[in-house]
Amino acid sequence: MKLYKTTITPLSSFGTTLKGDTIFGHICWAICLKNKNRLNELLKGYEKEPFLVISDAFVSGYFPKPTAPSTMLGENLADKKVNRKKVWLNRKDLQNGDFSLAKSDDELKKPMVTFLSIKNKINRLTFTTDGGDFAPYSMSEYMTVPQDVYFLLDTDKMSLDELKDAFSLVGKMGYGKKASIGKGRFEVGEFCEIESFFNENSNAFMTLSPSSLENFSEIYYEPFTRFGKHGASLASDKPFKSPVLLAQSGALIVPNDDEKTKIQKAAYIGKGIKGHSSHEESVQQGYAIVVGTKVIK
């Protein structure tokens, strides 16, 4: 599998955070809209061998700090409150385990700004609010700077051009909540192949998206529950999926020698998920690309 990176430039605000498993679902829909049989072909055997693994979107040039005890990251316990705000590392510092060089949102000039937009429902026949009460509601949205997204692609199953076309279509159609009113639009930059995320000093691995972790000898993570919902043509018939418990992005795996060899060979961890929806063909990305790092054992 080959590792690629692209940078997306937002063209609107977003109602849904850019998580790898949700981006994967959108790309599957983009493929399906062009050729459903092609999507079914790509998804054969997905539970064990993915054709594509997608990361979350991160501030361009940076990665999140791993979820792990401060002692493993070499942080001063007296500065716990300060350290909690320092959540961004460049690739070099992450791979070398230089967690003291992490930056906060303020240091990166607030790369993401969340706000509430006030809306109201209008009856399209009367052009007034229904009933006697004026009942506005709020919706959380966010604006963000350009973001990097990473793709681990099996080019024997799917070409890079096919991936580019599908992801560009997602950017034009809109991502996530309220895409039908213009939210979640973005422009896709060039795809470039990059080097492996591992080096000889790596003694741990960090995930880049929510994942279904296997039975590793030592792991650290925050739980993340995905309350999934179908879109497009499946949105009108039993749209809600069963909740899926995952490990949040930034999970840290401290492997033994056998596990380390296996992870470096695959460049990802996790598994594909099925059985969480009344639509049997539905799949969930439980895989995650991993980055090698160095922690204090």
Side-chain angles (χ1 to χ4, degrees), residues 63-70 72-73 75 83 86-89 93-95 97-99 102 204-207 220-222 248-253 291-295:
F63 293 90
K65 188 169 67 176
T67 300
S70 294
M72 293 185 70
L73 303 181
E75 295 177 333
N83 293 334
K86 292 182 176 292
V87 295
W88 299 109
L89 287 155
D93 294 339
L94 174 61
Q95 291 189 296
D98 293 328
F99 303 109
F205 302 95
M206 185 189 77
T207 63
Y220 301 88
Y221 65 94
E222 291 182 358
Q248 180 63 286
S249 312
L252 186 73
I253 302 162
V291 179
T293 186
K294 187 177 181 181
V295 298

Side-chain angles (χ1 to χ4, degrees), residues 28-95:
C28 284
W29 269 116
I31 297 169
C32 183
L33 289 173
K34 292 186 175 182
N35 188 335
K36 185 175 182 179
N37 291 332
R38 175 57 177 152
L39 176 62
N40 291 334
E41 179 185 346
L42 288 170
L43 291 177
K44 285 181 181 178
Y46 176 77
E47 297 97 309
K48 295 182 179 180
E49 292 186 3
F51 68 95
L52 175 66
V53 184
I54 306 174
S55 77
D56 294 355
F58 304 116
V59 179
S60 188
Y62 290 87
F63 293 90
K65 188 169 67 176
T67 300
S70 294
T71 51
M72 293 185 70
L73 303 181
E75 295 177 333
N76 188 339
L77 295 178
D79 298 327
K80 186 176 290 187
K81 289 185 177 180
V82 175
N83 293 334
R84 284 177 181 170
K85 295 180 180 179
K86 292 182 176 292
V87 295
W88 299 109
L89 287 155
N90 63 38
R91 175 173 175 167
K92 179 181 177 182
D93 294 339
L94 174 61
Q95 291 189 296

